[in-house]
Amino acid sequence: MERNLEKELFNTKKSGWLETSDEKFQKIFDFCDGYIEFLNRSKTEREFAANARELAEANGFEDVNKKERLKTGDKVYFVNREKSIYLAVIGEQKMENGVHIIGAHIDSPRLDLKPNPLYEDGELAYFNTHYYGGIKKYQWTTIPLSIHGVIVKANGEKITINIGEDEKDPIFTITDLLPHLAKDQEGKKLRDAIEGENLDLLIGSIPIMADDAKSKVKLNILKILNEKYGITEADFMSSELELVPAFKARSLGFDYGMIAAYGQDDKVCSYTALKALMEIQRPQKTAICILSDKEEIGSMGNTGMESHVFDYFMSELLNKTGENRVNLLEKVFCYSKMLSSDVDAGFDPLYASVSDKANSGFMSKGITLNKYTGARGKSGASDANAEYVAWVRNLFETNNIKYQISELGKVDVGGGGTIAYILANKGVDVIDCGVPVLSMHAPYEVTSKFDVYEAYRAYKAFWNKD
Ligand code: MN
Ligand code: MN
């Protein structure tokens, strides 16, 4: 028989849809319907964490703080200040042999309200904002925005806010200059055309009926907020209110093959990991899922991956399985494996010049590995060891999971990072591994349904591997 050298020797990847059976096709679409539904009620890290906890509890997970002892097969979680959540399924083997960690993040770029946000100008009321994460500022004007978050009064009473999602709710927006008067603005660099200090949210226009009041529109807004939520202007000081796009996650394309939604970085990897974990029963290695906060601003703080709260969770697992001894946690990390599941820049034909085509993640070609991230000579990168990359390849190939490998853009064009290095610094073998996304960090990000489902399959295979 004649050898097909091309097929044998080239590393060529075709669209995953070409290898999709009718049965799998249906599974992909059903899975993504669930993802779209979950996204629409999980736009912020607090909402995602709450919904993740609810899903976990419905699948037999319990708060680790309520368990005295842990044994094989037990399922537990720990919610860190309502903004991140760690989950575990205790394995057959001792944790000393290493655990299998998947870590994603549930925060996404957005606009936050300033601590003193409310003002009136030109008979209109506004909220002043400070953007969160890497955004292109012009993308956040003239789109419908909703307000999500909490206001905590000085007496500790917490008010949850979610306005702009329900069809009956009002929405909010940030205005932009009309083209007729934008000659100067249009001559500016894209990054300077909209100033951060001008990303102010338009929230009202009707003045209060009181002759002697100053700032009548502002006062009317405060009256409405006081009646609805029982707050005064001072209560904004102890609030966390986030502006996110008010539009819904939807199927994209005549073929319904893609998903357009806000916050898919990195809720796509968070959701697929969470769903995979729900199906893990008595794994060999303890399965750990991290859904982290603050990745978009550097993972700092007590809800970010840099915090020691995750180590505390791991120590509690060791304590409650009765396995713990002095310094054991460090050994556990050194023998553990991790998929840092974060999105990758999908190859965009409209902006092909920023990518090296042979080292890009393509839509619908499966989950994408990033051996390293970083920028300018791999600076700051967590570079996965070749031995570990081989282990992951073997895992995916034996489970028939479609995967590709890429870099984040051409050399010296830019760069980025994830939580990978934080766990790698503890001694864990880590590789970045996630779903390719178009328009990353934009109010509407695009993924392929094929890749979403493949990520879910990949994460399940990883946790089930001994
Ligand atoms: Mn990310
Ligand atoms: Mn990001």
Side-chain angles (χ1 to χ4, degrees):
M1 193 148 125
E2 191 129 356
R3 289 168 69 187
N4 183 337
L5 284 176
E6 243 180 78
K7 202 171 170 207
E8 206 177 304
L9 300 179
F10 278 174
N11 180 22
T12 315
K13 309 274 184 201
K14 283 187 292 194
S15 168
W17 293 116
L18 292 172
E19 297 153 7
T20 301
S21 66
D22 288 352
E23 191 195 350
K24 184 176 175 186
F25 196 90
Q26 195 55 47
K27 282 186 183 162
I28 292 172
F29 275 67
D30 289 347
F31 184 88
C32 288
D33 284 349
Y35 170 49
I36 286 171
E37 189 273 328
F38 196 89
L39 275 181
N40 280 333
R41 53 191 176 89
S42 313
K43 289 193 176 180
T44 65
E45 63 283 3
R46 283 178 188 269
E47 290 167 354
F48 199 109
N51 291 329
R53 174 190 197 149
E54 193 184 290
L55 182 71
E57 283 179 349
N59 284 276
F61 284 73
E62 296 172 81
D63 189 333
V64 72
N65 289 328
K66 294 189 179 142
K67 299 280 284 186
E68 292 237 329
R69 312 291 305 165
L70 291 172
K71 58 178 190 320
T72 302
D74 280 355
K75 301 173 174 191
V76 288
Y77 66 80
F78 178 82
V79 178
N80 181 6
R81 295 176 171 88
E82 301 188 8
K83 297 199 270 189
S84 59
I85 179 168
Y86 318 123
L87 306 101
V89 180
I90 307 299
E92 301 275 1
Q93 294 180 22
K94 290 196 158 189
M95 288 171 66
E96 185 172 354
N97 295 339
V99 300
H100 283 183
I101 306 169
I102 295 179
H105 67 93
I106 54 179
D107 62 316
S108 301
R110 60 175 190 256
L111 309 175
D112 286 345
L113 290 203
K114 288 191 183 187
N116 243 330
L118 182 59
Y119 73 93
E120 173 179 334
D121 197 359
E123 312 294 311
L124 297 169
Y126 292 92
F127 275 153
N128 221 322
T129 73
H130 193 144
Y131 65 96
Y132 173 98
I135 62 164
K136 291 165 94 175
K137 298 182 192 87
Y138 72 90
Q139 293 177 334
W140 292 76
T141 64
T142 67
I143 58 169
L145 294 166
S146 57
I147 304 173
H148 298 232
V150 295
I151 300 171
V152 187
K153 295 211 244 181
N155 67 7
E157 185 194 342
K158 188 183 287 185
I159 300 139
T160 301
I161 309 284
N162 180 323
I163 183 161
E165 298 295 334
D166 192 287
E167 286 301 316
K168 290 188 219 92
D169 286 349
I171 54 86
F172 309 89
T173 197
I174 294 167
T175 56
D176 192 6
L177 202 49
L178 60 167
H180 318 64
L181 300 179
K183 190 165 75 65
D184 287 353
Q185 185 195 40
E186 288 188 323
K188 288 181 183 170
K189 286 199 165 123
L190 199 56
R191 68 162 175 267
D192 302 324
I194 303 287
E195 285 170 29
E197 203 54 76
N198 265 355
L199 287 176
D200 290 358
L201 191 71
L202 184 57
I203 56 167
S205 61
I206 301 179
I208 199 163
M209 290 287 191
D211 290 342
D212 50 346
K214 283 178 275 179
S215 300
K216 290 188 172 67
V217 181
K218 172 178 167 175
L219 186 58
N220 195 38
I221 294 289
L222 278 171
K223 180 168 171 277
I224 292 166
L225 294 177
N226 184 260
E227 282 165 5
K228 187 162 183 188
Y229 303 116
I231 60 159
T232 67
E233 187 175 20
D235 293 322
F236 283 113
M237 289 192 289
S238 46
S239 72
E240 284 180 356
L241 294 171
E242 307 176 5
L243 312 183
V244 297
F247 29 71
K248 300 264 181 274
R250 304 283 289 267
S251 290
L252 188 154
F254 287 114
D255 52 16
Y256 292 76
M258 291 175 279
I259 297 165
Y262 163 71
Q264 296 201 75
D265 175 8
D266 182 33
K267 296 181 181 79
V268 64
C269 297
S270 300
Y271 179 78
T272 47
L274 183 66
K275 287 293 278 186
L277 188 72
M278 295 304 108
E279 291 171 23
I280 304 300
Q281 315 285 351
R282 302 181 75 92
Q284 278 296 314
K285 297 274 167 60
T286 291
I288 305 284
C289 180
I290 300 168
L291 301 179
S292 179
D293 180 31
K294 296 287 184 286
E295 193 276 343
E296 295 296 356
I297 57 168
S299 295
M300 300 298 173
N302 60 15
T303 59
M305 198 63 241
E306 293 272 15
S307 109
H308 291 209
V309 179
F310 176 65
D311 293 11
Y312 160 67
F313 173 69
M314 293 293 289
S315 294
E316 281 294 90
L317 299 184
L318 289 171
N319 290 333
K320 292 182 175 182
T321 51
E323 199 184 328
N324 214 357
R325 58 173 195 266
V326 174
N327 296 338
L328 182 60
L329 182 59
E330 284 156 28
K331 181 178 178 191
V332 170
F333 282 136
C334 291
Y335 285 85
S336 290
K337 293 184 168 66
M338 177 181 185
L339 299 179
S340 164
S341 46
D342 205 342
V343 296
D344 185 41
F347 176 80
D348 188 337
L350 301 185
Y351 299 97
S353 66
V354 300
S355 301
D356 166 12
K357 242 178 158 176
N359 288 282
S360 293
F362 284 78
M363 302 294 277
S364 309
K365 290 191 177 179
I367 191 159
T368 308
L369 299 172
N370 274 277
K371 187 174 180 296
Y372 47 85
T373 53
R376 292 169 300 282
K378 298 189 178 181
S379 185
S382 163
D383 198 344
N385 299 306
E387 292 84 350
Y388 182 52
V389 183
W391 185 91
V392 173
R393 278 184 61 201
N394 180 53
L395 171 74
F396 289 172
E397 286 167 18
T398 50
N399 286 280
N400 198 21
I401 285 155
K402 186 132 179 117
Y403 73 97
Q404 46 190 334
I405 193 158
S406 84
E407 271 200 89
L408 190 69
K410 272 186 183 165
V411 176
D412 287 341
V413 166
T418 66
I419 62 171
Y421 76 93
I422 302 165
L423 279 294
N425 288 352
K426 294 181 198 283
V428 179
D429 261 321
V430 186
I431 188 164
D432 278 302
C433 173
V435 174
V437 171
L438 300 180
S439 307
M440 195 196 295
H441 286 202
Y444 229 21
E445 300 174 315
V446 176
T447 55
S448 158
K449 289 184 181 177
F450 179 87
D451 301 330
V452 173
Y453 190 69
E454 219 58 6
Y456 154 76
R457 291 183 63 236
Y459 300 153
K460 210 160 71 170
F462 174 75
W463 275 320
N464 277 326
K465 170 88 177 150
D466 51 14

